[in-house]
Short mmCIF file of all heavy atoms in Angstrom, two decimals:
data_model
loop_
_atom_site.label_atom_id
_atom_site.label_comp_id
_atom_site.label_asym_id
_atom_site.label_seq_id
_atom_site.Cartn_x
_atom_site.Cartn_y
_atom_site.Cartn_z
N MET A 960 -59.12 12.64 -0.05
CA MET A 960 -59.48 11.25 -0.40
C MET A 960 -58.33 10.30 -0.04
O MET A 960 -57.17 10.60 -0.36
CB MET A 960 -59.76 11.17 -1.90
CG MET A 960 -60.32 9.82 -2.33
SD MET A 960 -61.22 9.86 -3.89
CE MET A 960 -59.94 10.46 -5.00
N ALA A 961 -58.61 9.27 0.61
CA ALA A 961 -57.59 8.29 0.99
C ALA A 961 -57.47 7.20 -0.06
O ALA A 961 -58.45 6.84 -0.71
CB ALA A 961 -57.93 7.66 2.34
N HIS A 962 -56.26 6.73 -0.22
CA HIS A 962 -56.01 5.66 -1.15
C HIS A 962 -55.52 4.44 -0.38
O HIS A 962 -54.63 4.57 0.47
CB HIS A 962 -54.93 6.11 -2.17
CG HIS A 962 -55.36 7.29 -2.99
ND1 HIS A 962 -55.30 8.58 -2.49
CD2 HIS A 962 -55.87 7.38 -4.20
CE1 HIS A 962 -55.73 9.40 -3.43
NE2 HIS A 962 -56.12 8.71 -4.48
N GLN A 963 -56.11 3.31 -0.65
CA GLN A 963 -55.79 2.13 0.09
C GLN A 963 -55.55 0.97 -0.86
O GLN A 963 -56.23 0.82 -1.88
CB GLN A 963 -56.96 1.79 1.04
CG GLN A 963 -56.70 0.59 1.92
CD GLN A 963 -57.81 0.45 2.97
OE1 GLN A 963 -58.19 1.40 3.63
NE2 GLN A 963 -58.35 -0.77 3.11
N PHE A 964 -54.58 0.16 -0.49
CA PHE A 964 -54.28 -1.05 -1.27
C PHE A 964 -54.08 -2.21 -0.30
O PHE A 964 -53.32 -2.07 0.66
CB PHE A 964 -53.02 -0.84 -2.10
CG PHE A 964 -52.60 -2.08 -2.86
CD1 PHE A 964 -53.01 -2.28 -4.14
CD2 PHE A 964 -51.80 -3.02 -2.26
CE1 PHE A 964 -52.60 -3.43 -4.86
CE2 PHE A 964 -51.40 -4.17 -2.91
CZ PHE A 964 -51.79 -4.36 -4.26
N GLU A 965 -54.75 -3.29 -0.58
CA GLU A 965 -54.54 -4.53 0.20
C GLU A 965 -53.96 -5.59 -0.74
O GLU A 965 -54.53 -5.87 -1.81
CB GLU A 965 -55.85 -5.02 0.78
CG GLU A 965 -56.38 -4.16 1.92
CD GLU A 965 -57.70 -4.73 2.50
OE1 GLU A 965 -57.72 -5.87 2.91
OE2 GLU A 965 -58.68 -3.96 2.47
N CYS A 966 -52.88 -6.17 -0.28
CA CYS A 966 -52.25 -7.23 -1.13
C CYS A 966 -53.15 -8.46 -1.15
O CYS A 966 -53.69 -8.87 -0.10
CB CYS A 966 -50.88 -7.59 -0.55
SG CYS A 966 -49.98 -8.71 -1.61
N THR A 967 -53.37 -9.01 -2.33
CA THR A 967 -54.30 -10.15 -2.49
C THR A 967 -53.52 -11.45 -2.61
O THR A 967 -54.15 -12.51 -2.78
CB THR A 967 -55.16 -9.99 -3.70
OG1 THR A 967 -54.33 -9.81 -4.85
CG2 THR A 967 -56.06 -8.78 -3.56
N GLN A 968 -52.20 -11.42 -2.48
CA GLN A 968 -51.44 -12.65 -2.58
C GLN A 968 -51.74 -13.49 -1.32
O GLN A 968 -52.01 -13.01 -0.26
CB GLN A 968 -49.94 -12.33 -2.60
CG GLN A 968 -49.52 -11.57 -3.85
CD GLN A 968 -49.71 -12.37 -5.14
OE1 GLN A 968 -49.25 -13.48 -5.26
NE2 GLN A 968 -50.42 -11.80 -6.11
N GLN A 969 -51.67 -14.81 -1.51
CA GLN A 969 -51.97 -15.75 -0.44
C GLN A 969 -50.99 -15.53 0.70
O GLN A 969 -49.80 -15.33 0.48
CB GLN A 969 -51.87 -17.19 -0.95
CG GLN A 969 -52.81 -18.12 -0.27
CD GLN A 969 -52.90 -19.45 -0.97
OE1 GLN A 969 -52.16 -19.70 -1.94
NE2 GLN A 969 -53.76 -20.31 -0.50
N ASP A 970 -51.48 -15.63 1.92
CA ASP A 970 -50.64 -15.53 3.13
C ASP A 970 -49.90 -14.23 3.22
O ASP A 970 -48.82 -14.16 3.75
CB ASP A 970 -49.63 -16.71 3.17
CG ASP A 970 -50.32 -18.05 3.25
OD1 ASP A 970 -51.43 -18.13 3.83
OD2 ASP A 970 -49.74 -19.02 2.71
N CYS A 971 -50.46 -13.17 2.71
CA CYS A 971 -49.82 -11.85 2.80
C CYS A 971 -50.87 -10.88 3.34
O CYS A 971 -52.00 -10.79 2.82
CB CYS A 971 -49.35 -11.38 1.42
SG CYS A 971 -48.48 -9.77 1.54
N ASP A 972 -50.52 -10.19 4.39
CA ASP A 972 -51.50 -9.28 4.99
C ASP A 972 -51.03 -7.81 4.83
O ASP A 972 -51.42 -6.93 5.61
CB ASP A 972 -51.76 -9.59 6.47
CG ASP A 972 -50.48 -9.58 7.30
OD1 ASP A 972 -49.40 -9.26 6.75
OD2 ASP A 972 -50.55 -9.89 8.49
N PHE A 973 -50.20 -7.56 3.84
CA PHE A 973 -49.74 -6.21 3.58
C PHE A 973 -50.90 -5.30 3.20
O PHE A 973 -51.75 -5.65 2.37
CB PHE A 973 -48.73 -6.25 2.45
CG PHE A 973 -48.27 -4.89 1.95
CD1 PHE A 973 -47.27 -4.19 2.64
CD2 PHE A 973 -48.83 -4.31 0.84
CE1 PHE A 973 -46.87 -2.94 2.18
CE2 PHE A 973 -48.44 -3.05 0.39
CZ PHE A 973 -47.43 -2.38 1.06
N MET A 974 -50.91 -4.14 3.83
CA MET A 974 -51.94 -3.15 3.52
C MET A 974 -51.31 -1.79 3.66
O MET A 974 -50.56 -1.53 4.57
CB MET A 974 -53.15 -3.30 4.43
CG MET A 974 -54.37 -2.56 3.95
SD MET A 974 -54.48 -0.87 4.59
CE MET A 974 -55.23 -1.22 6.18
N VAL A 975 -51.60 -0.90 2.71
CA VAL A 975 -51.06 0.45 2.82
C VAL A 975 -52.21 1.43 2.56
O VAL A 975 -53.08 1.21 1.72
CB VAL A 975 -49.88 0.67 1.85
CG1 VAL A 975 -50.30 0.44 0.42
CG2 VAL A 975 -49.29 2.04 2.04
N ARG A 976 -52.19 2.53 3.28
CA ARG A 976 -53.21 3.55 3.17
C ARG A 976 -52.57 4.92 3.31
O ARG A 976 -51.83 5.14 4.27
CB ARG A 976 -54.27 3.33 4.25
CG ARG A 976 -55.46 4.29 4.19
CD ARG A 976 -56.38 3.97 5.36
NE ARG A 976 -57.46 4.94 5.45
CZ ARG A 976 -58.62 4.84 4.79
NH1 ARG A 976 -58.85 3.78 4.06
NH2 ARG A 976 -59.55 5.76 4.91
N ALA A 977 -52.84 5.79 2.35
CA ALA A 977 -52.27 7.13 2.46
C ALA A 977 -53.14 8.10 1.63
O ALA A 977 -53.93 7.68 0.77
CB ALA A 977 -50.86 7.14 1.91
N ASN A 978 -52.99 9.36 1.91
CA ASN A 978 -53.72 10.37 1.12
C ASN A 978 -53.08 10.60 -0.24
O ASN A 978 -53.75 11.01 -1.20
CB ASN A 978 -53.77 11.69 1.88
CG ASN A 978 -54.74 11.60 3.03
OD1 ASN A 978 -55.75 10.96 2.98
ND2 ASN A 978 -54.39 12.26 4.13
N ASP A 979 -51.78 10.33 -0.33
CA ASP A 979 -51.03 10.58 -1.57
C ASP A 979 -50.99 9.32 -2.39
O ASP A 979 -50.40 8.31 -2.02
CB ASP A 979 -49.63 11.03 -1.17
CG ASP A 979 -48.79 11.38 -2.42
OD1 ASP A 979 -49.25 11.10 -3.56
OD2 ASP A 979 -47.71 11.94 -2.23
N GLU A 980 -51.64 9.32 -3.58
CA GLU A 980 -51.67 8.15 -4.41
C GLU A 980 -50.27 7.70 -4.84
O GLU A 980 -49.97 6.53 -4.90
CB GLU A 980 -52.55 8.41 -5.64
CG GLU A 980 -52.68 7.16 -6.48
CD GLU A 980 -53.70 7.31 -7.63
OE1 GLU A 980 -54.90 7.32 -7.32
OE2 GLU A 980 -53.28 7.51 -8.75
N ASN A 981 -49.42 8.68 -5.15
CA ASN A 981 -48.06 8.32 -5.58
C ASN A 981 -47.30 7.55 -4.47
O ASN A 981 -46.51 6.64 -4.79
CB ASN A 981 -47.25 9.58 -5.92
CG ASN A 981 -47.74 10.21 -7.23
OD1 ASN A 981 -48.19 9.50 -8.15
ND2 ASN A 981 -47.74 11.53 -7.29
N GLU A 982 -47.54 7.95 -3.24
CA GLU A 982 -46.88 7.27 -2.11
C GLU A 982 -47.37 5.81 -2.05
O GLU A 982 -46.58 4.89 -1.84
CB GLU A 982 -47.25 8.02 -0.82
CG GLU A 982 -46.45 7.60 0.35
CD GLU A 982 -46.84 8.45 1.57
OE1 GLU A 982 -47.17 9.63 1.42
OE2 GLU A 982 -46.86 7.87 2.70
N VAL A 983 -48.66 5.62 -2.23
CA VAL A 983 -49.23 4.25 -2.19
C VAL A 983 -48.62 3.43 -3.31
O VAL A 983 -48.19 2.30 -3.12
CB VAL A 983 -50.77 4.29 -2.28
CG1 VAL A 983 -51.32 2.87 -2.36
CG2 VAL A 983 -51.34 5.02 -1.06
N VAL A 984 -48.59 3.99 -4.51
CA VAL A 984 -48.07 3.27 -5.69
C VAL A 984 -46.65 2.84 -5.44
O VAL A 984 -46.26 1.69 -5.69
CB VAL A 984 -48.23 4.10 -6.97
CG1 VAL A 984 -47.49 3.41 -8.12
CG2 VAL A 984 -49.69 4.29 -7.34
N ASP A 985 -45.83 3.77 -4.96
CA ASP A 985 -44.44 3.47 -4.72
C ASP A 985 -44.27 2.34 -3.71
O ASP A 985 -43.48 1.42 -3.90
CB ASP A 985 -43.68 4.72 -4.21
CG ASP A 985 -43.45 5.73 -5.27
OD1 ASP A 985 -43.65 5.38 -6.47
OD2 ASP A 985 -43.08 6.85 -4.94
N MET A 986 -45.04 2.42 -2.63
CA MET A 986 -44.92 1.40 -1.57
C MET A 986 -45.38 0.05 -2.05
O MET A 986 -44.80 -1.00 -1.72
CB MET A 986 -45.70 1.83 -0.33
CG MET A 986 -45.06 3.01 0.39
SD MET A 986 -46.01 3.54 1.81
CE MET A 986 -45.75 2.17 2.95
N VAL A 987 -46.45 0.01 -2.87
CA VAL A 987 -46.95 -1.24 -3.38
C VAL A 987 -45.97 -1.85 -4.36
O VAL A 987 -45.73 -3.06 -4.32
CB VAL A 987 -48.34 -1.01 -4.02
CG1 VAL A 987 -48.77 -2.26 -4.78
CG2 VAL A 987 -49.37 -0.65 -2.97
N GLN A 988 -45.43 -1.05 -5.24
CA GLN A 988 -44.44 -1.56 -6.19
C GLN A 988 -43.25 -2.16 -5.46
O GLN A 988 -42.72 -3.22 -5.84
CB GLN A 988 -43.96 -0.44 -7.17
CG GLN A 988 -45.04 -0.09 -8.19
CD GLN A 988 -44.58 0.98 -9.13
OE1 GLN A 988 -43.91 1.93 -8.72
NE2 GLN A 988 -44.94 0.87 -10.38
N GLU A 989 -42.78 -1.47 -4.42
CA GLU A 989 -41.63 -1.97 -3.66
C GLU A 989 -42.00 -3.28 -2.95
O GLU A 989 -41.21 -4.23 -2.93
CB GLU A 989 -41.24 -0.89 -2.63
CG GLU A 989 -39.96 -1.19 -1.92
CD GLU A 989 -39.57 -0.10 -0.95
OE1 GLU A 989 -39.74 1.08 -1.29
OE2 GLU A 989 -39.13 -0.42 0.18
N HIS A 990 -43.20 -3.28 -2.35
CA HIS A 990 -43.66 -4.51 -1.66
C HIS A 990 -43.73 -5.69 -2.64
O HIS A 990 -43.27 -6.77 -2.32
CB HIS A 990 -45.01 -4.22 -1.00
CG HIS A 990 -45.69 -5.52 -0.53
ND1 HIS A 990 -45.32 -6.13 0.63
CD2 HIS A 990 -46.64 -6.27 -1.09
CE1 HIS A 990 -46.06 -7.22 0.78
NE2 HIS A 990 -46.86 -7.35 -0.24
N ALA A 991 -44.34 -5.46 -3.76
CA ALA A 991 -44.55 -6.55 -4.74
C ALA A 991 -43.20 -7.11 -5.22
O ALA A 991 -43.03 -8.33 -5.36
CB ALA A 991 -45.34 -6.05 -5.92
N ARG A 992 -42.26 -6.22 -5.39
CA ARG A 992 -40.93 -6.64 -5.89
C ARG A 992 -40.18 -7.41 -4.80
O ARG A 992 -39.63 -8.47 -5.03
CB ARG A 992 -40.16 -5.40 -6.32
CG ARG A 992 -38.88 -5.74 -7.09
CD ARG A 992 -38.22 -4.47 -7.63
NE ARG A 992 -37.93 -3.52 -6.59
CZ ARG A 992 -38.43 -2.31 -6.47
NH1 ARG A 992 -39.26 -1.83 -7.38
NH2 ARG A 992 -38.07 -1.49 -5.45
N GLU A 993 -40.17 -6.84 -3.57
CA GLU A 993 -39.35 -7.42 -2.50
C GLU A 993 -39.96 -8.68 -1.92
O GLU A 993 -39.25 -9.63 -1.62
CB GLU A 993 -39.11 -6.38 -1.41
CG GLU A 993 -38.24 -5.25 -1.85
CD GLU A 993 -37.81 -4.38 -0.69
OE1 GLU A 993 -38.34 -4.55 0.43
OE2 GLU A 993 -36.91 -3.52 -0.91
N LYS A 994 -41.29 -8.74 -1.77
CA LYS A 994 -41.90 -9.85 -1.11
C LYS A 994 -42.38 -10.95 -2.08
O LYS A 994 -42.41 -12.10 -1.74
CB LYS A 994 -43.12 -9.42 -0.27
CG LYS A 994 -42.78 -8.44 0.85
CD LYS A 994 -41.99 -9.12 1.93
CE LYS A 994 -41.70 -8.10 3.04
NZ LYS A 994 -40.70 -8.65 4.02
N HIS A 995 -42.74 -10.56 -3.26
CA HIS A 995 -43.30 -11.51 -4.19
C HIS A 995 -42.53 -11.67 -5.49
O HIS A 995 -42.87 -12.45 -6.34
CB HIS A 995 -44.77 -11.10 -4.53
CG HIS A 995 -45.61 -10.95 -3.31
ND1 HIS A 995 -45.86 -11.95 -2.39
CD2 HIS A 995 -46.27 -9.86 -2.81
CE1 HIS A 995 -46.63 -11.49 -1.43
NE2 HIS A 995 -46.93 -10.22 -1.66
N GLY A 996 -41.45 -10.87 -5.66
CA GLY A 996 -40.66 -10.96 -6.90
C GLY A 996 -41.49 -10.59 -8.10
O GLY A 996 -41.26 -11.07 -9.24
N MET A 997 -42.49 -9.72 -7.89
CA MET A 997 -43.40 -9.33 -8.96
C MET A 997 -43.16 -7.87 -9.38
O MET A 997 -43.02 -7.01 -8.52
CB MET A 997 -44.87 -9.42 -8.52
CG MET A 997 -45.41 -10.81 -8.44
SD MET A 997 -47.01 -10.86 -7.59
CE MET A 997 -47.73 -9.29 -7.99
N ALA A 998 -43.13 -7.61 -10.65
CA ALA A 998 -43.07 -6.24 -11.14
C ALA A 998 -44.49 -5.78 -11.48
O ALA A 998 -45.16 -6.35 -12.31
CB ALA A 998 -42.19 -6.14 -12.38
N MET A 999 -44.94 -4.77 -10.77
CA MET A 999 -46.31 -4.24 -11.03
C MET A 999 -46.15 -2.89 -11.75
O MET A 999 -45.44 -2.03 -11.29
CB MET A 999 -47.08 -4.07 -9.72
CG MET A 999 -47.56 -5.36 -9.11
SD MET A 999 -48.65 -5.09 -7.68
CE MET A 999 -50.20 -4.65 -8.41
N ASP A 1000 -46.87 -2.77 -12.83
CA ASP A 1000 -46.92 -1.48 -13.51
C ASP A 1000 -47.73 -0.50 -12.66
O ASP A 1000 -48.64 -0.87 -11.93
CB ASP A 1000 -47.61 -1.60 -14.88
CG ASP A 1000 -46.75 -2.37 -15.88
OD1 ASP A 1000 -45.52 -2.35 -15.69
OD2 ASP A 1000 -47.33 -2.95 -16.79
N ARG A 1001 -47.41 0.76 -12.84
CA ARG A 1001 -48.14 1.82 -12.10
C ARG A 1001 -49.66 1.67 -12.38
O ARG A 1001 -50.46 1.80 -11.48
CB ARG A 1001 -47.65 3.20 -12.56
CG ARG A 1001 -48.55 4.36 -12.15
CD ARG A 1001 -47.82 5.68 -12.30
NE ARG A 1001 -46.82 5.85 -11.27
CZ ARG A 1001 -47.06 6.50 -10.11
NH1 ARG A 1001 -48.21 6.99 -9.86
NH2 ARG A 1001 -46.10 6.62 -9.22
N SER A 1002 -50.01 1.40 -13.62
CA SER A 1002 -51.44 1.30 -13.96
C SER A 1002 -52.10 0.11 -13.24
O SER A 1002 -53.26 0.18 -12.87
CB SER A 1002 -51.62 1.19 -15.48
OG SER A 1002 -50.95 0.08 -15.98
N ASP A 1003 -51.33 -0.97 -13.09
CA ASP A 1003 -51.85 -2.13 -12.37
C ASP A 1003 -52.19 -1.76 -10.93
O ASP A 1003 -53.23 -2.14 -10.38
CB ASP A 1003 -50.83 -3.30 -12.34
CG ASP A 1003 -50.64 -3.88 -13.71
OD1 ASP A 1003 -51.52 -3.75 -14.59
OD2 ASP A 1003 -49.56 -4.49 -13.90
N VAL A 1004 -51.27 -1.02 -10.30
CA VAL A 1004 -51.50 -0.61 -8.95
C VAL A 1004 -52.65 0.33 -8.82
O VAL A 1004 -53.52 0.20 -8.00
CB VAL A 1004 -50.20 0.04 -8.34
CG1 VAL A 1004 -50.46 0.42 -6.88
CG2 VAL A 1004 -49.02 -0.90 -8.42
N GLU A 1005 -52.70 1.27 -9.76
CA GLU A 1005 -53.78 2.26 -9.73
C GLU A 1005 -55.14 1.60 -9.86
O GLU A 1005 -56.12 2.00 -9.24
CB GLU A 1005 -53.57 3.31 -10.83
CG GLU A 1005 -52.46 4.30 -10.54
CD GLU A 1005 -52.17 5.24 -11.67
OE1 GLU A 1005 -52.68 5.01 -12.77
OE2 GLU A 1005 -51.40 6.19 -11.44
N ASN A 1006 -55.22 0.56 -10.71
CA ASN A 1006 -56.48 -0.16 -10.87
C ASN A 1006 -56.89 -0.89 -9.61
O ASN A 1006 -58.09 -1.13 -9.37
CB ASN A 1006 -56.37 -1.16 -12.01
CG ASN A 1006 -56.38 -0.48 -13.37
OD1 ASN A 1006 -56.87 0.63 -13.51
ND2 ASN A 1006 -55.80 -1.14 -14.36
N ALA A 1007 -55.91 -1.28 -8.79
CA ALA A 1007 -56.19 -2.08 -7.61
C ALA A 1007 -56.40 -1.21 -6.37
O ALA A 1007 -56.83 -1.72 -5.31
CB ALA A 1007 -55.04 -3.06 -7.37
N ILE A 1008 -56.10 0.04 -6.46
CA ILE A 1008 -56.27 0.95 -5.30
C ILE A 1008 -57.72 1.25 -5.06
O ILE A 1008 -58.48 1.48 -6.00
CB ILE A 1008 -55.48 2.27 -5.53
CG1 ILE A 1008 -53.98 2.02 -5.37
CG2 ILE A 1008 -55.97 3.36 -4.60
CD1 ILE A 1008 -53.15 3.27 -5.63
N GLN A 1009 -58.12 1.19 -3.76
CA GLN A 1009 -59.45 1.59 -3.38
C GLN A 1009 -59.41 3.02 -2.93
O GLN A 1009 -58.55 3.40 -2.11
CB GLN A 1009 -59.94 0.70 -2.25
CG GLN A 1009 -60.02 -0.76 -2.65
CD GLN A 1009 -60.08 -1.72 -1.49
OE1 GLN A 1009 -59.83 -1.33 -0.36
NE2 GLN A 1009 -60.33 -2.96 -1.75
N ARG A 1010 -60.28 3.84 -3.44
CA ARG A 1010 -60.33 5.25 -3.07
C ARG A 1010 -61.55 5.51 -2.20
O ARG A 1010 -62.65 5.21 -2.60
CB ARG A 1010 -60.36 6.09 -4.31
CG ARG A 1010 -59.08 5.96 -5.16
CD ARG A 1010 -59.21 6.55 -6.54
NE ARG A 1010 -58.00 6.37 -7.30
CZ ARG A 1010 -57.71 5.25 -8.00
NH1 ARG A 1010 -58.59 4.27 -8.01
NH2 ARG A 1010 -56.55 5.12 -8.64
N THR A 1011 -61.28 5.99 -1.03
CA THR A 1011 -62.37 6.22 -0.07
C THR A 1011 -62.38 7.63 0.46
O THR A 1011 -61.36 8.30 0.43
CB THR A 1011 -62.27 5.24 1.13
OG1 THR A 1011 -60.98 5.42 1.73
CG2 THR A 1011 -62.44 3.82 0.68
ZN1 ZN B 1294 -48.00 -9.02 -0.50
#
């Protein structure tokens, strides 16, 4: 199963897709912090991940 996350912030086209959910969560948390100055909880990221 693939895990995908698309950033929904305005003017941001960040997207990450991987088979490993932990990898996606880590990359999204890092992206949110570095690009948007946002701290995302793991559960927030997990809720936003699309599983395909
Ligand atoms: Zn973003």
Side-chain angles (χ1 to χ4, degrees):
M960 188 160 59
H962 299 79
Q963 182 171 314
F964 176 94
E965 288 181 57
C966 188
T967 57
Q968 296 296 306
Q969 211 169 6
D970 297 329
C971 183
D972 58 3
F973 173 81
M974 194 270 276
V975 60
R976 181 181 174 89
N978 288 324
D979 183 350
E980 184 172 284
N981 288 326
E982 192 178 324
V983 175
V984 171
D985 286 348
M986 289 178 70
V987 170
Q988 286 181 320
E989 188 179 319
H990 168 79
R992 191 175 57 242
E993 291 191 351
K994 298 292 180 190
H995 305 300
M997 285 168 31
M999 286 185 79
D1000 290 334
R1001 166 166 287 268
S1002 59
D1003 292 337
V1004 181
E1005 285 175 349
N1006 286 336
I1008 285 176
Q1009 298 161 349
R1010 297 168 181 84
T1011 56

